[in-house]
Amino acid sequence: MMRKYLGAAAVLAGSLLCGAVMAQTYRAEYRLSTVLNTAFTWGQAGERWAELVKEKTQGRINIKLYPGASLVGGDQTREFTAIRQGVIDLAVGSTINWSPQIKELNLFSLPFLMPDYKAIDALTQGDVGKDLFTVLEKREVVPLAWGENGFREMSNSKRPIASPADMKGLKFRVVGSPLYNETFTALGANPTQMSWADAQPALASGAVDGQENPLSVFVAAKLPTVGQKHLTLWHYVADPLIFVVNKQVWESWTPADRDAVRQAALQAGRENVEKARKGIAGKDNAILKQIEAAGVTVTEPTAAQREAFVKATRPVYDKWAKTIGADLVKKAEAAIAKR
């Protein structure tokens, strides 16, 4: 009886100790960063991840969404550094915005590397995606799943664009990455880097003529209302999203809860990709019809016309392939060729 009593007491003491540790370790709330809010599929992905985590951990982990890169004053290129520093606990982040700190993520911004959605999947769901997760793991973050913001298409307020010559002299808002500056400069345009928060007022005032973003963003941001009446479907780069957790935060959770957070990220990522492609991919062109109904002229370059864009940007591609890593780029090209 005494042995049973002591055994039960030990179990109880262990449970109390575990509870005390949990009480000290688990915060009342964790901060999740996204660049876009819940009017966009990107923000919805963050919201969905938070919902699933709460559900799968029975409320032990509560996450609050901070959209608009608000935890870094709206400067989306500082987001990854803030995750490493612990200012941000979790994020659904863009490979573009994190590429200034993680050079390998520039892979997805190589002009005209990925011709279709199968090409994106060949990278994110294959060995290349695993290699990139390994790179991130060395930077004090834990990558869990891939999402998607989509192929970035080009719009402007001046004229239809079907060739690099049509871009000459036009001012385009681009994200804060040198690769985008060089790509648009090679095409004869005048690129201007600015945050998304500053982009819409700049488009409305005419300070810039055009921009490049996925169609889901074009619609949700109501860009035709700020003069974007000409859209070119050129699929020049894509913008995968990555679900990550700060490493110290991750290690503060129990293995069971880590698995729950991972499974929540994988589910939210799958749902996000499906949403990002709805109305755009394959034979589903509902979003395109919606854009045309708003009075937008849509130009889809022929194969020959697209090749002119490819040729003009090839020197940029070759230069940045060295920066990203020749072996990684070759592996990506091979994966796409086999898709």
Side-chain angles (χ1 to χ4, degrees):
M1 287 290 292
M2 180 61 71
R3 188 176 299 168
K4 287 182 179 179
Y5 173 79
L6 291 173
V11 170
L12 177 61
S15 298
L16 291 172
L17 178 61
C18 181
V21 170
M22 288 281 285
Q24 285 182 330
T25 304
Y26 280 40
R27 300 183 206 157
E29 185 177 277
Y30 293 89
R31 301 176 297 269
L32 167 60
S33 177
T34 60
V35 170
L36 297 181
N37 61 40
T38 54
F40 302 84
T41 55
W42 186 345
Q44 292 162 16
E47 183 179 55
R48 181 61 173 150
W49 189 18
E51 289 174 356
L52 288 168
V53 167
K54 186 173 184 178
E55 173 189 315
K56 291 178 183 294
T57 63
Q58 290 78 51
R60 287 186 297 276
I61 298 176
N62 290 287
I63 297 169
K64 182 177 179 180
L65 179 65
Y66 287 83
S70 55
L71 294 172
V72 285
D75 185 354
Q76 56 217 59
T77 59
R78 289 174 47 214
E79 187 179 58
F80 187 80
T81 299
I83 299 166
R84 296 186 68 193
Q85 293 172 339
V87 175
I88 294 170
D89 301 313
L90 308 91
V92 180
S94 160
T95 54
I96 298 171
N97 293 333
W98 295 355
S99 63
Q101 289 81 39
I102 308 294
K103 66 178 184 178
E104 291 87 353
L105 292 182
N106 283 292
L107 176 72
F108 299 102
S109 297
L110 283 176
F112 304 101
L113 169 66
M114 298 164 287
D116 51 37
Y117 288 103
K118 287 183 179 180
I120 300 175
D121 294 339
L123 300 187
T124 61
Q125 305 308 311
D127 289 340
V128 170
K130 292 175 184 176
D131 289 348
L132 291 171
F133 272 19
T134 299
V135 170
L136 288 168
E137 286 164 358
K138 295 176 181 177
R139 301 296 184 90
E140 302 302 311
V141 302
V142 180
L144 302 176
W146 291 96
E148 188 168 292
N149 196 26
F151 274 109
R152 300 178 77 88
E153 314 294 8
M154 171 173 52
S155 71
N156 80 96
S157 60
K158 300 297 185 184
R159 54 182 176 261
I161 293 175
S163 71
D166 297 328
M167 296 176 67
K168 189 172 178 61
L170 293 183
K171 293 181 69 174
F172 282 89
R173 175 266 175 182
V174 296
V175 294
S177 163
L179 176 47
Y180 285 77
N181 260 353
E182 292 180 29
T183 297
F184 273 75
T185 298
L187 291 166
N190 296 326
T192 301
Q193 292 182 346
M194 63 178 68
S195 70
W196 181 241
D198 294 332
Q200 287 170 282
L203 291 167
S205 68
V208 293
D209 302 310
Q211 61 84 54
E212 47 79 53
N213 255 307
L215 294 185
S216 60
V217 175
F218 187 90
V219 171
K222 300 178 181 178
L223 293 186
T225 66
V226 290
Q228 297 300 286
K229 296 296 186 181
H230 303 283
L231 176 67
T232 298
L233 304 178
W234 62 340
H235 272 36
Y236 87 118
V237 299
D239 185 15
L241 304 176
I242 308 177
F243 292 66
V244 305
V245 181
N246 168 276
K247 187 178 181 181
Q248 288 186 328
V249 169
W250 178 259
E251 291 177 345
S252 73
W253 296 331
T254 65
D257 281 343
R258 288 180 209 163
D259 185 60
V261 172
R262 184 187 301 276
Q263 294 306 316
L266 289 167
Q267 182 177 337
R270 289 191 298 268
E271 292 177 8
N272 164 242
V273 170
E274 186 177 337
K275 265 189 179 181
R277 297 182 185 183
K278 187 176 181 180
I280 297 171
K283 296 179 180 179
D284 186 0
N285 62 353
I287 286 183
L288 198 57
K289 288 181 179 179
Q290 185 179 343
I291 290 170
E292 290 176 323
V296 176
T297 300
V298 177
T299 301
E300 189 164 4
T302 64
Q305 288 172 328
R306 192 172 185 273
E307 187 57 32
F309 289 109
V310 174
K311 185 177 180 180
T313 56
R314 190 67 200 191
V316 177
Y317 184 110
D318 292 339
K319 173 189 172 182
W320 278 86
K322 296 174 184 176
T323 300
I324 294 163
D327 290 343
L328 180 62
V329 173
K330 287 178 182 177
K331 182 182 279 192
E333 291 171 341
I336 291 170
K338 292 177 182 177
R339 70 190 186 284

